[in-house]
Amino acid sequence: MKKLFIFAFIGFLAQLIDGSLGMAYGVTSSSLLLSFGMAPAIASASIHISEVVTTAASGISHIKFGNVDRQAIFKLIIPGSIGAFIGACFLSHLSGDIAKPYISLFLLMLGFYVIVRFLFKNKPSSTQRNLNLTTKQALPLGLIAGFADATGGGGWGPLTTPVLLYNNGNSARKVIGTVDTSEFAIAISATLGFLISLGWQDVNWFWIGALMLGGVIAAPIAAWLVKTIPSYLLGVLVGGFIILTNVWTILKVWSIDNIAEVFIYIGVFMFWIGAIILTLKQNRENL
Protein backbone atom coordinates (compact mmCIF):
# COMPACT_ATOMS: atom_id res chain seq x y z
CA MET A 1 0.00 0.00 0.00
CA LYS A 2 2.91 2.34 0.77
CA LYS A 3 4.33 1.82 -2.74
CA LEU A 4 0.90 2.53 -4.22
CA PHE A 5 0.85 5.99 -2.61
CA ILE A 6 4.48 6.67 -3.57
CA PHE A 7 3.99 5.81 -7.25
CA ALA A 8 0.64 7.59 -7.37
CA PHE A 9 2.37 10.69 -5.97
CA ILE A 10 5.10 10.36 -8.64
CA GLY A 11 2.41 10.22 -11.32
CA PHE A 12 0.57 13.18 -9.80
CA LEU A 13 3.68 15.35 -9.52
CA ALA A 14 4.95 14.46 -13.02
CA GLN A 15 1.59 15.18 -14.68
CA LEU A 16 1.06 18.39 -12.69
CA ILE A 17 4.41 19.72 -13.98
CA ASP A 18 3.90 18.40 -17.51
CA GLY A 19 0.30 19.57 -17.83
CA SER A 20 0.99 23.07 -16.55
CA LEU A 21 4.38 23.69 -18.22
CA GLY A 22 4.08 21.53 -21.34
CA MET A 23 7.02 19.23 -20.58
CA ALA A 24 8.89 17.02 -18.12
CA TYR A 25 6.51 14.09 -17.43
CA GLY A 26 9.22 11.73 -18.69
CA VAL A 27 12.07 13.59 -17.02
CA THR A 28 10.31 13.83 -13.66
CA SER A 29 8.84 10.33 -13.51
CA SER A 30 11.88 8.51 -14.95
CA SER A 31 14.22 10.24 -12.48
CA LEU A 32 12.02 9.19 -9.56
CA LEU A 33 11.43 5.63 -10.84
CA LEU A 34 15.14 5.05 -11.47
CA SER A 35 15.82 6.15 -7.90
CA PHE A 36 13.74 3.14 -6.82
CA GLY A 37 16.09 0.83 -8.74
CA MET A 38 13.90 0.23 -11.81
CA ALA A 39 15.78 -0.71 -15.00
CA PRO A 40 15.91 2.18 -17.51
CA ALA A 41 14.14 0.27 -20.33
CA ILE A 42 11.36 -0.91 -18.03
CA ALA A 43 11.03 2.56 -16.51
CA SER A 44 10.68 4.11 -19.98
CA ALA A 45 8.15 1.49 -21.08
CA SER A 46 6.13 1.93 -17.85
CA ILE A 47 6.10 5.71 -18.28
CA HIS A 48 4.86 5.52 -21.87
CA ILE A 49 2.15 2.99 -21.03
CA SER A 50 0.92 5.19 -18.16
CA GLU A 51 1.05 8.23 -20.46
CA VAL A 52 -1.59 6.66 -22.72
CA VAL A 53 -4.12 7.27 -19.93
CA THR A 54 -2.64 10.44 -18.38
CA THR A 55 -2.23 12.24 -21.72
CA ALA A 56 -5.81 11.32 -22.65
CA ALA A 57 -7.04 12.85 -19.39
CA SER A 58 -4.77 15.85 -19.90
CA GLY A 59 -5.93 16.35 -23.49
CA ILE A 60 -9.62 16.22 -22.54
CA SER A 61 -8.98 18.76 -19.77
CA HIS A 62 -7.05 21.14 -22.05
CA ILE A 63 -9.77 20.92 -24.73
CA LYS A 64 -12.41 21.69 -22.09
CA PHE A 65 -10.53 24.82 -20.98
CA GLY A 66 -9.87 25.97 -24.57
CA ASN A 67 -6.10 25.53 -24.46
CA VAL A 68 -5.79 23.64 -27.78
CA ASP A 69 -5.15 24.46 -31.45
CA ARG A 70 -6.66 21.43 -33.21
CA GLN A 71 -5.08 22.14 -36.59
CA ALA A 72 -1.61 22.14 -35.05
CA ILE A 73 -2.37 18.84 -33.27
CA PHE A 74 -3.22 17.08 -36.54
CA LYS A 75 -0.06 18.43 -38.14
CA LEU A 76 2.11 17.12 -35.27
CA ILE A 77 0.68 13.71 -34.38
CA ILE A 78 1.38 11.84 -37.64
CA PRO A 79 5.14 12.56 -37.90
CA GLY A 80 5.39 12.43 -34.09
CA SER A 81 3.80 8.98 -33.94
CA ILE A 82 6.05 7.66 -36.69
CA GLY A 83 9.15 8.99 -34.93
CA ALA A 84 8.07 7.56 -31.56
CA PHE A 85 7.33 4.09 -32.97
CA ILE A 86 10.62 3.90 -34.88
CA GLY A 87 12.56 5.11 -31.83
CA ALA A 88 10.93 2.60 -29.47
CA CYS A 89 11.21 -0.40 -31.83
CA PHE A 90 14.68 -0.03 -33.25
CA LEU A 91 16.67 2.30 -31.01
CA SER A 92 15.43 1.72 -27.46
CA HIS A 93 18.45 -0.53 -26.82
CA LEU A 94 20.89 2.20 -27.84
CA SER A 95 22.04 5.03 -25.65
CA GLY A 96 20.77 8.50 -26.46
CA ASP A 97 23.39 10.04 -24.16
CA ILE A 98 25.68 11.07 -27.02
CA ALA A 99 23.15 13.46 -28.56
CA LYS A 100 21.61 14.67 -25.30
CA PRO A 101 24.16 17.40 -24.40
CA TYR A 102 23.99 18.95 -27.89
CA ILE A 103 20.20 18.95 -27.91
CA SER A 104 20.22 20.38 -24.39
CA LEU A 105 22.54 23.23 -25.42
CA PHE A 106 20.16 24.15 -28.23
CA LEU A 107 17.15 23.99 -25.91
CA LEU A 108 19.03 25.99 -23.28
CA MET A 109 19.41 28.85 -25.75
CA LEU A 110 15.72 28.55 -26.66
CA GLY A 111 14.84 28.72 -22.97
CA PHE A 112 16.67 32.04 -22.61
CA TYR A 113 14.98 33.30 -25.76
CA VAL A 114 11.52 32.36 -24.42
CA ILE A 115 12.14 34.30 -21.18
CA VAL A 116 13.48 37.36 -23.05
CA ARG A 117 10.54 37.25 -25.44
CA PHE A 118 7.94 37.20 -22.69
CA LEU A 119 9.81 39.80 -20.63
CA PHE A 120 10.37 42.38 -23.36
CA LYS A 121 8.43 41.40 -26.49
CA ASN A 122 5.17 39.98 -25.15
CA LYS A 123 2.14 41.85 -26.49
CA PRO A 124 -1.08 40.12 -25.42
CA SER A 125 -3.20 42.11 -27.87
CA SER A 126 -1.25 40.78 -30.87
CA THR A 127 -1.21 37.15 -29.73
CA GLN A 128 -2.71 34.94 -32.42
CA ARG A 129 -5.76 32.79 -31.78
CA ASN A 130 -4.09 29.72 -33.34
CA LEU A 131 -0.47 28.59 -33.43
CA ASN A 132 1.72 29.72 -36.29
CA LEU A 133 2.70 26.18 -37.41
CA THR A 134 3.02 25.07 -41.02
CA THR A 135 3.12 21.47 -42.28
CA LYS A 136 6.72 22.02 -43.42
CA GLN A 137 7.66 22.96 -39.82
CA ALA A 138 5.54 20.25 -38.18
CA LEU A 139 7.02 17.34 -40.16
CA PRO A 140 10.66 17.50 -38.96
CA LEU A 141 9.65 18.75 -35.51
CA GLY A 142 7.22 15.86 -34.98
CA LEU A 143 9.64 13.22 -36.27
CA ILE A 144 12.59 14.42 -34.18
CA ALA A 145 10.57 15.06 -31.00
CA GLY A 146 8.73 11.72 -31.24
CA PHE A 147 12.00 9.88 -31.86
CA ALA A 148 13.70 11.64 -28.94
CA ASP A 149 10.74 10.93 -26.66
CA ALA A 150 10.91 7.17 -27.24
CA THR A 151 14.69 6.80 -27.16
CA GLY A 152 15.53 9.31 -24.46
CA GLY A 153 12.79 8.60 -21.90
CA GLY A 154 11.14 11.94 -22.65
CA GLY A 155 11.50 14.66 -25.22
CA TRP A 156 8.16 15.47 -26.82
CA GLY A 157 7.45 18.40 -24.50
CA PRO A 158 11.04 19.62 -24.02
CA LEU A 159 11.49 19.81 -27.79
CA THR A 160 8.08 20.90 -29.13
CA THR A 161 7.19 23.42 -26.39
CA PRO A 162 10.23 25.74 -26.75
CA VAL A 163 10.25 25.45 -30.57
CA LEU A 164 6.57 26.44 -30.79
CA LEU A 165 7.09 29.24 -28.27
CA TYR A 166 9.93 30.51 -30.47
CA ASN A 167 7.37 31.65 -33.06
CA ASN A 168 6.30 35.23 -32.32
CA GLY A 169 2.60 35.55 -31.59
CA ASN A 170 2.12 32.01 -30.26
CA SER A 171 0.22 31.93 -26.99
CA ALA A 172 1.98 30.02 -24.19
CA ARG A 173 -1.40 28.63 -23.09
CA LYS A 174 -2.16 27.31 -26.60
CA VAL A 175 1.33 25.86 -26.99
CA ILE A 176 1.17 23.93 -23.70
CA GLY A 177 -2.35 22.63 -24.29
CA THR A 178 -1.57 21.57 -27.87
CA VAL A 179 1.69 19.82 -26.92
CA ASP A 180 0.05 17.94 -24.04
CA THR A 181 -2.97 16.87 -26.08
CA SER A 182 -0.93 15.69 -29.07
CA GLU A 183 1.26 13.61 -26.75
CA PHE A 184 -1.56 11.05 -26.46
CA ALA A 185 -0.81 9.75 -29.98
CA ILE A 186 2.93 9.75 -29.32
CA ALA A 187 2.44 7.74 -26.11
CA ILE A 188 0.37 5.10 -27.96
CA SER A 189 2.96 4.73 -30.73
CA ALA A 190 5.88 4.51 -28.30
CA THR A 191 3.99 1.99 -26.15
CA LEU A 192 3.34 -0.28 -29.15
CA GLY A 193 7.02 -0.07 -30.06
CA PHE A 194 8.17 -0.91 -26.54
CA LEU A 195 5.75 -3.82 -26.18
CA ILE A 196 6.95 -5.25 -29.52
CA SER A 197 10.60 -4.83 -28.48
CA LEU A 198 10.38 -5.81 -24.80
CA GLY A 199 7.21 -7.89 -24.54
CA TRP A 200 4.70 -7.83 -21.68
CA GLN A 201 6.48 -10.10 -19.20
CA ASP A 202 8.68 -7.44 -17.53
CA VAL A 203 5.98 -4.78 -17.22
CA ASN A 204 4.78 -4.13 -13.67
CA TRP A 205 1.10 -3.19 -14.01
CA PHE A 206 0.87 -2.25 -10.33
CA TRP A 207 3.39 0.57 -10.82
CA ILE A 208 1.76 1.63 -14.08
CA GLY A 209 -1.70 1.69 -12.50
CA ALA A 210 -0.45 3.87 -9.65
CA LEU A 211 1.24 6.28 -12.09
CA MET A 212 -1.98 6.48 -14.10
CA LEU A 213 -4.07 7.17 -10.99
CA GLY A 214 -1.89 10.08 -9.88
CA GLY A 215 -1.67 11.49 -13.41
CA VAL A 216 -5.44 11.40 -13.98
CA ILE A 217 -6.02 13.32 -10.74
CA ALA A 218 -3.45 15.97 -11.67
CA ALA A 219 -4.53 16.46 -15.32
CA PRO A 220 -7.58 18.74 -14.80
CA ILE A 221 -5.73 20.74 -12.11
CA ALA A 222 -2.82 21.40 -14.50
CA ALA A 223 -5.16 22.36 -17.37
CA TRP A 224 -6.99 24.80 -15.08
CA LEU A 225 -3.66 26.35 -14.05
CA VAL A 226 -2.75 26.91 -17.72
CA LYS A 227 -6.13 28.57 -18.30
CA THR A 228 -5.81 30.73 -15.18
CA ILE A 229 -2.15 31.83 -15.13
CA PRO A 230 -1.52 34.93 -17.34
CA SER A 231 0.31 34.23 -20.60
CA TYR A 232 3.27 36.50 -19.78
CA LEU A 233 3.88 34.74 -16.44
CA LEU A 234 3.34 31.29 -17.96
CA GLY A 235 5.94 32.04 -20.65
CA VAL A 236 8.57 33.01 -18.06
CA LEU A 237 7.77 29.94 -15.94
CA VAL A 238 8.12 27.65 -18.95
CA GLY A 239 11.33 29.35 -20.11
CA GLY A 240 12.90 28.96 -16.67
CA PHE A 241 11.91 25.32 -16.50
CA ILE A 242 13.42 24.71 -19.96
CA ILE A 243 16.71 26.23 -18.75
CA LEU A 244 16.70 24.29 -15.45
CA THR A 245 15.90 20.96 -17.14
CA ASN A 246 18.62 21.29 -19.76
CA VAL A 247 21.25 22.59 -17.32
CA TRP A 248 20.53 19.45 -15.27
CA THR A 249 21.01 17.26 -18.39
CA ILE A 250 24.27 18.98 -19.38
CA LEU A 251 25.75 18.79 -15.89
CA LYS A 252 24.96 15.07 -15.74
CA VAL A 253 27.10 14.55 -18.83
CA TRP A 254 29.98 16.91 -18.06
CA SER A 255 32.35 16.24 -15.19
CA ILE A 256 31.93 19.36 -13.06
CA ASP A 257 32.99 19.89 -9.47
CA ASN A 258 30.10 19.50 -7.00
CA ILE A 259 30.63 22.98 -5.54
CA ALA A 260 30.61 24.55 -9.00
CA GLU A 261 27.44 22.59 -9.82
CA VAL A 262 25.72 24.00 -6.73
CA PHE A 263 26.66 27.57 -7.72
CA ILE A 264 25.36 26.97 -11.25
CA TYR A 265 21.99 25.82 -9.90
CA ILE A 266 21.86 28.79 -7.53
CA GLY A 267 22.60 31.13 -10.46
CA VAL A 268 19.84 29.54 -12.57
CA PHE A 269 17.31 29.83 -9.75
CA MET A 270 18.27 33.46 -9.04
CA PHE A 271 17.92 34.33 -12.74
CA TRP A 272 14.55 32.55 -12.91
CA ILE A 273 13.18 34.21 -9.78
CA GLY A 274 14.43 37.61 -10.97
CA ALA A 275 12.66 37.13 -14.32
CA ILE A 276 9.41 36.19 -12.54
CA ILE A 277 9.61 39.25 -10.28
CA LEU A 278 10.40 41.52 -13.24
CA THR A 279 7.51 40.26 -15.36
CA LEU A 280 5.11 40.64 -12.42
CA LYS A 281 6.25 44.26 -11.95
CA GLN A 282 5.94 45.02 -15.66
CA ASN A 283 2.40 43.62 -15.83
CA ARG A 284 1.17 44.72 -12.39
CA GLU A 285 -1.83 46.50 -13.88
CA ASN A 286 -2.99 43.28 -15.60
CA LEU A 287 -3.09 41.22 -12.38
Side-chain angles (χ1 to χ4, degrees):
M1 184 60 69
K2 184 179 179 181
K3 277 193 174 182
L4 174 65
F5 285 112
I6 291 173
F7 281 93
F9 177 73
I10 291 173
F12 178 88
L13 182 64
Q15 183 56 48
L16 187 65
I17 295 171
D18 186 86
S20 56
L21 296 182
M23 68 189 77
Y25 184 93
V27 172
T28 305
S29 54
S30 61
S31 299
L32 294 171
L33 289 177
L34 290 174
S35 69
F36 279 87
M38 189 181 292
I42 301 302
S44 184
S46 300
I47 290 164
H48 281 90
I49 294 171
S50 67
E51 276 188 311
V52 172
V53 173
T54 59
T55 53
S58 181
I60 292 170
S61 300
H62 278 298
I63 291 171
K64 180 181 177 181
F65 286 105
N67 301 333
V68 172
D69 178 356
R70 301 191 184 197
Q71 289 185 347
I73 287 177
F74 290 122
K75 291 177 182 177
L76 284 169
I77 59 174
I78 294 177
S81 298
I82 293 171
F85 185 80
I86 293 173
C89 281
F90 301 107
L91 297 174
S92 60
H93 63 286
L94 298 178
S95 174
D97 292 339
I98 296 175
K100 273 187 178 180
Y102 300 102
I103 294 173
S104 292
L105 282 171
F106 169 70
L107 294 175
L108 189 66
M109 291 186 288
L110 280 184
F112 280 107
Y113 171 82
V114 168
I115 286 184
V116 170
R117 182 201 142 193
F118 279 90
L119 274 177
F120 304 111
K121 300 181 181 180
N122 187 42
K123 297 179 180 179
S125 59
S126 65
T127 298
Q128 300 177 43
R129 186 178 182 85
N130 294 318
L131 301 183
N132 188 17
L133 179 67
T134 65
T135 304
K136 187 181 291 187
Q137 293 170 328
L139 183 61
L141 175 60
L143 281 169
I144 294 170
F147 182 84
D149 191 83
T151 57
W156 182 253
L159 278 168
T160 52
T161 299
V163 170
L164 290 178
L165 282 174
Y166 182 83
N167 289 329
N168 286 325
N170 279 351
S171 162
R173 177 171 68 88
K174 287 282 187 178
V175 167
I176 292 169
T178 300
V179 168
D180 263 20
T181 304
S182 62
E183 195 170 6
F184 172 69
I186 279 66
I188 291 178
S189 297
T191 296
L192 290 174
F194 276 118
L195 291 178
I196 290 171
S197 301
L198 300 174
W200 299 82
Q201 63 275 8
D202 293 325
V203 175
N204 190 313
W205 293 103
F206 173 83
W207 293 339
I208 292 172
L211 289 171
M212 288 179 179
L213 177 63
V216 168
I217 294 171
I221 300 173
W224 175 81
L225 286 173
V226 171
K227 175 72 174 181
T228 305
I229 298 174
S231 177
Y232 56 84
L233 180 57
L234 197 60
V236 174
L237 289 172
V238 172
F241 200 79
I242 293 168
I243 294 170
L244 182 63
T245 302
N246 290 288
V247 164
W248 180 83
T249 302
I250 292 169
L251 291 179
K252 285 290 181 182
V253 176
W254 294 348
S255 299
I256 296 179
D257 183 74
N258 289 336
I259 297 177
E261 188 173 331
V262 170
F263 278 106
I264 290 172
Y265 281 125
I266 291 174
V268 170
F269 275 110
M270 289 179 66
F271 171 77
W272 193 8
I273 292 169
I276 293 171
I277 294 172
L278 182 58
T279 194
L280 288 174
K281 286 183 177 180
Q282 289 177 339
N283 296 275
R284 187 176 299 168
E285 65 278 5
N286 296 324
L287 293 174

